[in-house]
Amino acid sequence: MNKLPQTVQILLDVSKTIVSELELDGVVQTIVRESIHLLKADHGALFLMDGKTSRLNLAAANGFNVNEFNNLDLLAS
């Protein structure tokens, strides 16, 4: 059996989630989780731009403690 490289497999998994997931929250959580795994990171966050206000909004985060999490909101300001 031919095994796909890890990065390709993760992209495939994320693509499947995006296609099958009806809720944005599930999609962004998957993107953050898989990105952390792929990059071997301890933390990860995804911000989405609000088209009306041009403000970044925290969509998903993983691996942050309370103080670090509070700082993420400051980054979006």
Side-chain angles (χ1 to χ4, degrees):
M1 179 182 247
N2 188 10
K3 188 171 181 174
L4 292 173
Q6 182 181 16
T7 53
V8 174
Q9 185 61 51
I10 290 173
L11 288 172
L12 182 61
D13 293 344
V14 170
S15 296
K16 286 179 185 177
T17 299
I18 290 170
V19 169
S20 66
E21 185 69 47
L22 297 177
E23 297 291 326
L24 179 61
D25 186 54
V27 173
V28 295
Q29 291 294 338
T30 299
I31 291 169
V32 170
R33 183 180 62 249
E34 295 300 334
S35 297
I36 289 170
H37 176 74
L38 177 65
L39 298 171
K40 296 176 178 49
D42 296 324
H43 306 74
L46 177 66
F47 292 85
L48 297 177
M49 176 74 76
D50 182 321
K52 293 179 183 174
T53 65
S54 295
R55 185 174 198 270
L56 291 175
N57 295 315
L58 180 62
N62 193 311
F64 293 91
N65 67 36
V66 174
N67 291 332
E68 292 169 327
F69 191 78
N70 289 336
N71 288 336
L72 286 176
D73 276 338
L74 293 175
L75 290 174
S77 298

Coordinates of all heavy atoms in Angstrom, one line a residue:
M1 N 0.8 -1.2 0.0 CA 0.0 0.0 0.0 C 0.9 1.3 0.0 O 1.8 1.4 0.8 CB -0.9 0.0 1.2 CG -1.8 1.2 1.3 SD -2.8 1.1 2.8 CE -4.4 0.9 2.1
N2 N 0.6 2.2 -0.9 CA 1.3 3.4 -1.0 C 0.8 4.4 0.1 O -0.3 4.8 0.0 CB 1.2 4.0 -2.4 CG 2.1 5.2 -2.6 OD1 2.9 5.5 -1.8 ND2 1.9 5.8 -3.7
K3 N 1.7 4.8 1.0 CA 1.3 5.8 2.1 C 1.5 7.2 1.6 O 2.6 7.5 1.1 CB 2.0 5.5 3.3 CG 1.6 6.2 4.5 CD 2.2 5.7 5.8 CE 1.6 6.6 6.9 NZ 2.1 6.1 8.2
L4 N 0.5 8.1 1.8 CA 0.7 9.5 1.4 C 1.6 10.2 2.4 O 1.6 9.8 3.6 CB -0.7 10.2 1.5 CG -1.7 9.8 0.4 CD1 -3.0 10.4 0.7 CD2 -1.2 10.1 -1.0
P5 N 2.4 11.1 2.0 CA 3.2 11.9 2.9 C 2.3 12.6 3.9 O 1.1 12.9 3.7 CB 3.9 13.0 2.0 CG 3.8 12.4 0.6 CD 2.6 11.6 0.6
Q6 N 2.8 12.8 5.1 CA 2.0 13.3 6.2 C 1.3 14.6 5.9 O 0.1 14.8 6.2 CB 2.9 13.5 7.5 CG 2.1 14.0 8.7 CD 3.0 14.2 9.9 OE1 4.2 14.3 9.8 NE2 2.4 14.3 11.0
T7 N 2.0 15.5 5.2 CA 1.4 16.8 4.9 C 0.2 16.7 4.0 O -0.8 17.3 4.1 CB 2.4 17.8 4.3 OG1 3.1 17.2 3.2 CG2 3.4 18.2 5.4
V8 N 0.4 15.8 3.0 CA -0.7 15.6 2.1 C -1.9 14.9 2.8 O -3.1 15.3 2.5 CB -0.3 14.7 0.9 CG1 -1.4 14.3 0.0 CG2 0.8 15.4 0.1
Q9 N -1.6 13.9 3.6 CA -2.7 13.3 4.4 C -3.5 14.3 5.3 O -4.7 14.3 5.3 CB -2.2 12.2 5.2 CG -3.2 11.4 5.9 CD -4.2 10.7 5.0 OE1 -3.7 10.0 4.1 NE2 -5.5 10.9 5.1
I10 N -2.8 15.2 5.9 CA -3.4 16.2 6.8 C -4.3 17.1 5.9 O -5.4 17.4 6.3 CB -2.4 17.0 7.6 CG1 -1.8 16.0 8.7 CG2 -3.0 18.2 8.3 CD1 -0.7 16.6 9.5
L11 N -3.7 17.6 4.8 CA -4.5 18.4 3.9 C -5.8 17.7 3.4 O -6.9 18.3 3.3 CB -3.7 18.9 2.7 CG -2.6 19.9 3.0 CD1 -1.8 20.1 1.8 CD2 -3.2 21.2 3.4
L12 N -5.7 16.4 3.1 CA -6.8 15.6 2.7 C -7.8 15.5 3.8 O -9.0 15.7 3.6 CB -6.3 14.2 2.3 CG -7.4 13.3 1.8 CD1 -8.1 13.8 0.6 CD2 -6.8 11.9 1.5
D13 N -7.4 15.3 5.1 CA -8.3 15.2 6.2 C -9.0 16.5 6.5 O -10.2 16.5 6.7 CB -7.5 14.8 7.5 CG -7.0 13.4 7.4 OD1 -7.4 12.6 6.6 OD2 -6.1 13.0 8.2
V14 N -8.3 17.6 6.4 CA -8.9 18.9 6.6 C -9.9 19.2 5.5 O -11.0 19.7 5.7 CB -7.8 20.0 6.6 CG1 -8.5 21.4 6.6 CG2 -7.0 19.9 7.9
S15 N -9.6 18.8 4.2 CA -10.5 19.0 3.1 C -11.8 18.2 3.3 O -12.9 18.7 3.0 CB -9.8 18.6 1.8 OG -8.7 19.4 1.5
K16 N -11.6 17.0 3.8 CA -12.8 16.2 4.0 C -13.7 16.8 5.1 O -14.9 16.8 5.0 CB -12.4 14.8 4.5 CG -11.9 13.9 3.4 CD -11.5 12.6 3.9 CE -10.8 11.7 2.9 NZ -10.4 10.4 3.4
T17 N -13.1 17.4 6.1 CA -13.8 18.0 7.2 C -14.6 19.2 6.7 O -15.7 19.5 7.0 CB -12.9 18.4 8.4 OG1 -12.3 17.3 8.9 CG2 -13.7 19.1 9.5
I18 N -13.9 20.0 5.9 CA -14.5 21.2 5.3 C -15.7 20.9 4.5 O -16.8 21.5 4.6 CB -13.5 22.1 4.5 CG1 -12.5 22.7 5.5 CG2 -14.2 23.1 3.7 CD1 -11.3 23.3 4.8
V19 N -15.6 19.8 3.7 CA -16.7 19.4 2.8 C -17.9 18.9 3.6 O -19.0 19.1 3.3 CB -16.2 18.4 1.8 CG1 -17.3 17.8 1.0 CG2 -15.2 19.1 0.8
S20 N -17.6 18.1 4.7 CA -18.6 17.4 5.4 C -19.2 18.2 6.6 O -20.3 17.9 7.1 CB -18.1 16.1 5.9 OG -17.1 16.3 6.9
E21 N -18.5 19.2 7.1 CA -18.9 20.0 8.2 C -19.8 21.1 7.9 O -19.5 21.9 6.9 CB -17.6 20.6 8.9 CG -17.9 21.3 10.2 CD -18.3 20.3 11.3 OE1 -17.7 19.3 11.5 OE2 -19.3 20.7 12.0
L22 N -20.9 21.2 8.6 CA -21.9 22.3 8.3 C -21.6 23.5 9.2 O -22.0 24.6 8.8 CB -23.3 21.8 8.6 CG -23.7 20.7 7.7 CD1 -25.1 20.2 8.1 CD2 -23.7 21.1 6.2
E23 N -20.9 23.4 10.2 CA -20.6 24.5 11.2 C -19.2 25.0 11.0 O -18.2 24.2 11.0 CB -20.8 24.0 12.6 CG -22.2 23.6 12.9 CD -23.2 24.7 12.9 OE1 -22.8 25.9 13.3 OE2 -24.4 24.5 12.5
L24 N -19.0 26.3 10.9 CA -17.7 26.9 10.8 C -16.8 26.6 11.9 O -15.6 26.3 11.8 CB -17.8 28.5 10.7 CG -16.5 29.2 10.5 CD1 -15.8 28.8 9.3 CD2 -16.8 30.7 10.5
D25 N -17.4 26.5 13.1 CA -16.6 26.2 14.3 C -15.9 24.8 14.2 O -14.7 24.7 14.5 CB -17.5 26.2 15.6 CG -16.7 26.0 16.8 OD1 -15.8 26.8 17.1 OD2 -17.0 25.1 17.6
G26 N -16.5 23.9 13.6 CA -15.9 22.6 13.4 C -14.7 22.6 12.4 O -13.7 22.0 12.6
V27 N -14.9 23.4 11.4 CA -13.9 23.5 10.4 C -12.7 24.2 11.0 O -11.5 23.8 10.8 CB -14.4 24.3 9.2 CG1 -13.3 24.6 8.2 CG2 -15.5 23.5 8.5
V28 N -12.8 25.4 11.6 CA -11.7 26.1 12.2 C -11.0 25.3 13.3 O -9.8 25.4 13.4 CB -12.1 27.5 12.6 CG1 -12.5 28.4 11.4 CG2 -13.1 27.6 13.7
Q29 N -11.7 24.6 14.1 CA -11.1 23.7 15.1 C -10.2 22.7 14.4 O -9.1 22.4 14.9 CB -12.2 23.1 16.0 CG -12.9 24.0 16.9 CD -12.0 24.7 17.9 OE1 -11.0 24.2 18.3 NE2 -12.5 25.8 18.4
T30 N -10.7 22.1 13.4 CA -9.9 21.1 12.7 C -8.7 21.7 12.1 O -7.6 21.1 12.1 CB -10.8 20.4 11.6 OG1 -11.9 19.8 12.2 CG2 -10.0 19.4 10.8
I31 N -8.8 22.8 11.5 CA -7.6 23.5 10.9 C -6.6 23.8 11.9 O -5.4 23.5 11.7 CB -8.1 24.8 10.1 CG1 -8.9 24.5 8.9 CG2 -6.8 25.7 9.8 CD1 -9.6 25.6 8.2
V32 N -7.0 24.3 13.1 CA -6.0 24.6 14.1 C -5.4 23.3 14.7 O -4.2 23.2 14.8 CB -6.7 25.4 15.3 CG1 -5.8 25.5 16.5 CG2 -7.1 26.8 14.8
R33 N -6.2 22.3 14.9 CA -5.7 21.1 15.5 C -4.7 20.4 14.5 O -3.6 20.0 14.9 CB -6.9 20.1 15.8 CG -6.4 18.8 16.4 CD -7.6 17.9 16.7 NE -8.3 17.5 15.5 CZ -9.5 17.9 15.1 NH1 -10.2 18.7 15.9 NH2 -10.1 17.5 14.0
E34 N -5.0 20.3 13.3 CA -4.2 19.7 12.3 C -2.9 20.5 12.0 O -1.8 20.0 11.8 CB -4.9 19.4 11.0 CG -6.0 18.4 11.2 CD -5.6 17.0 11.7 OE1 -4.4 16.6 11.5 OE2 -6.4 16.3 12.3
S35 N -3.0 21.8 12.1 CA -1.9 22.7 11.9 C -0.9 22.5 13.0 O 0.4 22.4 12.8 CB -2.3 24.2 11.8 OG -3.1 24.4 10.7
I36 N -1.4 22.4 14.2 CA -0.5 22.2 15.4 C 0.2 20.9 15.2 O 1.4 20.8 15.5 CB -1.3 22.2 16.7 CG1 -1.8 23.7 17.0 CG2 -0.5 21.7 17.9 CD1 -2.8 23.8 18.1
H37 N -0.5 19.9 14.8 CA 0.1 18.5 14.7 C 1.1 18.5 13.6 O 2.2 18.0 13.8 CB -1.0 17.5 14.3 CG -0.5 16.2 14.1 ND1 -0.1 15.3 15.1 CD2 -0.4 15.5 12.9 CE1 0.3 14.2 14.5 NE2 0.1 14.3 13.2
L38 N 0.8 19.1 12.4 CA 1.7 19.1 11.3 C 3.0 19.9 11.6 O 4.1 19.5 11.3 CB 1.1 19.8 10.1 CG 1.9 19.9 8.8 CD1 2.3 18.5 8.3 CD2 1.1 20.7 7.8
L39 N 2.9 21.0 12.3 CA 4.0 21.9 12.6 C 4.7 21.5 13.9 O 5.7 22.1 14.2 CB 3.5 23.4 12.7 CG 3.0 23.9 11.4 CD1 2.3 25.3 11.6 CD2 4.0 24.0 10.3
K40 N 4.2 20.5 14.6 CA 4.7 20.1 15.9 C 4.8 21.2 16.8 O 5.8 21.5 17.5 CB 6.1 19.4 15.7 CG 6.0 18.1 14.9 CD 7.3 17.5 14.6 CE 7.3 16.2 13.9 NZ 6.5 16.1 12.7
A41 N 3.7 22.0 16.9 CA 3.7 23.2 17.7 C 3.0 22.9 19.0 O 2.2 21.9 19.1 CB 2.9 24.4 17.0
D42 N 3.2 23.8 20.0 CA 2.5 23.6 21.3 C 1.1 24.4 21.3 O 0.2 24.1 22.0 CB 3.3 24.2 22.4 CG 4.6 23.3 22.6 OD1 4.6 22.1 22.4 OD2 5.6 24.0 22.9
H43 N 1.1 25.4 20.5 CA -0.1 26.3 20.5 C -0.5 26.6 19.0 O 0.3 26.5 18.1 CB 0.3 27.7 21.0 CG 0.9 27.7 22.4 ND1 2.1 27.3 22.7 CD2 0.3 28.0 23.6 CE1 2.4 27.4 23.9 NE2 1.3 27.8 24.5
G44 N -1.7 27.0 18.8 CA -2.2 27.4 17.5 C -3.4 28.3 17.6 O -4.2 28.1 18.6
A45 N -3.6 29.2 16.7 CA -4.8 30.1 16.7 C -5.1 30.5 15.3 O -4.2 30.6 14.5 CB -4.6 31.3 17.6
L46 N -6.3 30.6 15.1 CA -6.8 31.1 13.7 C -7.7 32.3 13.9 O -8.7 32.3 14.7 CB -7.6 29.9 13.1 CG -8.2 30.2 11.7 CD1 -7.1 30.5 10.7 CD2 -9.1 29.1 11.3
F47 N -7.4 33.3 13.2 CA -8.1 34.6 13.2 C -8.8 34.7 11.9 O -8.2 34.4 10.8 CB -7.2 35.8 13.5 CG -6.6 35.8 14.8 CD1 -5.5 35.2 15.1 CD2 -7.3 36.6 15.8 CE1 -4.9 35.2 16.4 CE2 -6.7 36.6 17.1 CZ -5.5 36.0 17.4
L48 N -10.0 35.2 11.9 CA -10.8 35.5 10.6 C -11.0 37.0 10.6 O -11.4 37.6 11.6 CB -12.1 34.7 10.6 CG -12.0 33.2 10.6 CD1 -13.3 32.6 10.6 CD2 -11.2 32.7 9.3
M49 N -10.9 37.5 9.4 CA -11.1 39.0 9.2 C -12.6 39.3 9.0 O -13.3 38.6 8.2 CB -10.4 39.5 7.9 CG -10.6 40.9 7.6 SD -9.8 42.0 8.7 CE -8.1 41.9 8.1
D50 N -13.1 40.2 9.8 CA -14.5 40.7 9.6 C -14.5 41.7 8.5 O -13.8 42.7 8.6 CB -15.0 41.3 10.9 CG -16.4 41.8 10.9 OD1 -16.8 42.3 9.8 OD2 -17.1 41.7 11.9
G51 N -15.2 41.3 7.4 CA -15.2 42.2 6.2 C -15.8 43.6 6.5 O -15.4 44.5 5.8
K52 N -16.7 43.7 7.4 CA -17.3 45.0 7.6 C -16.5 45.9 8.5 O -16.4 47.1 8.2 CB -18.7 44.8 8.4 CG -19.7 44.1 7.5 CD -21.0 43.9 8.2 CE -22.0 43.1 7.4 NZ -23.2 42.8 8.1
T53 N -15.8 45.4 9.5 CA -15.0 46.2 10.4 C -13.5 46.1 10.2 O -12.8 46.9 10.8 CB -15.3 45.8 11.9 OG1 -14.8 44.4 12.1 CG2 -16.7 45.8 12.2
S54 N -13.1 45.2 9.3 CA -11.6 45.0 9.0 C -10.9 44.6 10.3 O -9.7 44.8 10.5 CB -11.0 46.2 8.4 OG -11.5 46.4 7.1
R55 N -11.6 44.0 11.2 CA -11.0 43.6 12.5 C -10.8 42.1 12.5 O -11.6 41.3 11.9 CB -12.0 43.9 13.7 CG -11.5 43.6 15.0 CD -12.5 44.2 16.1 NE -11.8 44.3 17.4 CZ -11.8 43.3 18.3 NH1 -12.3 42.3 18.1 NH2 -11.2 43.5 19.4
L56 N -9.7 41.6 13.1 CA -9.5 40.2 13.2 C -10.3 39.6 14.4 O -10.3 40.2 15.5 CB -8.0 39.9 13.4 CG -7.1 40.2 12.2 CD1 -5.6 40.0 12.6 CD2 -7.4 39.3 11.1
N57 N -10.9 38.5 14.2 CA -11.7 37.9 15.3 C -11.1 36.5 15.5 O -10.9 35.7 14.5 CB -13.2 37.8 14.9 CG -13.8 39.1 14.8 OD1 -13.7 40.0 15.7 ND2 -14.6 39.3 13.8
L58 N -10.8 36.2 16.7 CA -10.3 34.8 17.1 C -11.4 33.8 16.8 O -12.5 33.8 17.3 CB -9.9 34.8 18.6 CG -9.4 33.5 19.1 CD1 -8.1 33.1 18.3 CD2 -9.1 33.6 20.6
A59 N -11.1 32.9 15.9 CA -12.0 31.9 15.5 C -11.8 30.6 16.2 O -12.8 29.8 16.5 CB -12.0 31.6 14.0
A60 N -10.5 30.2 16.5 CA -10.2 29.0 17.2 C -8.8 29.1 17.8 O -8.0 29.8 17.2 CB -10.3 27.8 16.3
A61 N -8.6 28.4 18.9 CA -7.3 28.4 19.5 C -7.2 27.1 20.3 O -8.2 26.5 20.8 CB -7.1 29.6 20.5
N62 N -5.9 26.6 20.4 CA -5.7 25.4 21.1 C -4.3 25.5 21.7 O -3.3 25.9 21.1 CB -5.7 24.2 20.1 CG -5.8 22.9 20.8 OD1 -5.0 22.6 21.7 ND2 -6.7 22.1 20.3
G63 N -4.2 25.0 23.0 CA -2.9 24.9 23.7 C -2.5 26.1 24.5 O -1.4 26.1 25.1
F64 N -3.3 27.1 24.6 CA -3.0 28.3 25.4 C -3.5 28.2 26.8 O -4.6 27.7 27.0 CB -3.6 29.5 24.7 CG -3.0 29.8 23.3 CD1 -3.6 29.3 22.2 CD2 -1.9 30.6 23.2 CE1 -3.1 29.6 20.9 CE2 -1.4 30.9 22.0 CZ -1.9 30.4 20.8
N65 N -2.8 28.8 27.7 CA -3.3 28.9 29.1 C -4.1 30.2 29.2 O -4.2 30.9 28.2 CB -2.2 28.8 30.2 CG -1.3 30.1 30.1 OD1 -1.7 31.2 29.9 ND2 0.0 29.8 30.4
V66 N -4.8 30.4 30.3 CA -5.7 31.6 30.4 C -5.0 32.9 30.1 O -5.6 33.7 29.3 CB -6.3 31.6 31.8 CG1 -7.2 32.8 32.0 CG2 -7.2 30.4 32.1
N67 N -3.8 33.1 30.6 CA -3.2 34.4 30.4 C -2.8 34.6 28.9 O -2.9 35.6 28.3 CB -1.9 34.5 31.2 CG -2.2 34.7 32.7 OD1 -3.3 35.2 33.1 ND2 -1.3 34.2 33.6
E68 N -2.3 33.5 28.3 CA -1.9 33.6 26.9 C -3.2 33.8 26.1 O -3.2 34.5 25.1 CB -1.2 32.3 26.5 CG 0.1 32.1 27.1 CD 0.7 30.7 26.8 OE1 -0.1 29.7 26.8 OE2 1.9 30.6 26.7
F69 N -4.3 33.1 26.4 CA -5.5 33.2 25.7 C -6.0 34.7 25.7 O -6.5 35.2 24.7 CB -6.6 32.3 26.3 CG -7.8 32.1 25.4 CD1 -7.8 31.3 24.3 CD2 -8.9 32.8 25.7 CE1 -8.9 31.2 23.4 CE2 -10.1 32.7 24.9 CZ -10.0 31.9 23.8
N70 N -5.9 35.3 26.9 CA -6.4 36.7 27.0 C -5.5 37.6 26.1 O -6.0 38.6 25.5 CB -6.3 37.2 28.4 CG -7.4 36.5 29.3 OD1 -8.4 36.1 28.8 ND2 -7.1 36.5 30.6
N71 N -4.3 37.3 25.9 CA -3.4 38.1 25.0 C -3.8 37.9 23.6 O -3.5 38.8 22.8 CB -1.9 37.7 25.2 CG -1.4 38.2 26.6 OD1 -1.9 39.2 27.1 ND2 -0.4 37.6 27.1
L72 N -4.4 36.8 23.2 CA -4.8 36.6 21.8 C -5.8 37.7 21.4 O -5.8 38.2 20.3 CB -5.4 35.2 21.6 CG -4.4 34.1 21.6 CD1 -5.1 32.8 21.5 CD2 -3.4 34.2 20.5
D73 N -6.7 38.0 22.3 CA -7.7 39.0 22.0 C -7.1 40.4 21.8 O -7.5 41.2 20.9 CB -8.8 39.1 23.1 CG -9.9 38.1 23.0 OD1 -10.1 37.6 21.9 OD2 -10.5 37.8 24.0
L74 N -6.0 40.7 22.5 CA -5.3 41.9 22.3 C -4.6 42.0 20.9 O -4.6 43.0 20.3 CB -4.2 42.1 23.3 CG -4.6 42.3 24.8 CD1 -3.5 42.3 25.7 CD2 -5.5 43.6 24.9
L75 N -4.2 40.8 20.4 CA -3.6 40.8 19.1 C -4.6 41.1 18.0 O -4.3 41.7 17.0 CB -3.0 39.4 18.8 CG -1.8 39.0 19.5 CD1 -1.4 37.5 19.2 CD2 -0.6 39.9 19.1
A76 N -5.8 40.8 18.2 CA -6.9 41.0 17.3 C -7.3 42.5 17.2 O -7.9 42.9 16.3 CB -8.1 40.2 17.5
S77 N -7.0 43.3 18.3 CA -7.5 44.6 18.3 C -6.8 45.6 17.4 O -5.7 45.4 17.0 CB -7.3 45.2 19.8 OG -8.0 44.4 20.7

